[in-house]
Amino acid sequence: MLELQLRGDYIELDKLLKATGLVESGGRARVLIAAGEVKVDGQVELRKTAKMRAGQVVSFGGQQVTVLPADA
């Protein structure tokens, strides 16, 4: 399982996939999200720029990413 620490309150889903290296580009992330291949907290997420907040788990391609809060 991967972890991504936020720098602010949230990160958009397409940017999270790129930042974690699960996809090679933001464009590829948007295509995969639109195709229904990405889940957030176990549910398919079709919004490319959905705001991922601390505690959420993103699943794609057999990998899971846990979103961690920013350092206070």
Side-chain angles (χ1 to χ4, degrees):
M1 179 179 289
L2 301 171
E3 295 178 337
L4 178 76
Q5 188 165 14
L6 293 173
R7 292 185 183 154
D9 291 335
Y10 66 88
I11 185 171
E12 293 173 348
L13 182 55
D14 58 343
K15 292 183 172 88
L16 178 145
L17 292 175
K18 185 170 185 256
T20 56
L22 293 178
V23 296
E24 62 277 2
S25 70
R28 180 77 177 137
R30 290 186 285 279
V31 167
L32 293 167
I33 294 165
E37 295 191 32
V38 179
K39 291 184 178 181
V40 175
D41 296 333
Q43 301 292 321
V44 172
E45 179 58 76
L46 299 174
R47 296 173 298 156
K48 300 168 196 73
T49 58
K51 294 176 180 175
M52 300 296 100
R53 300 182 188 276
Q56 291 189 292
V57 178
V58 177
S59 304
F60 167 72
Q63 294 275 3
Q64 287 190 324
V65 180
T66 301
V67 181
L68 301 177
D71 281 337

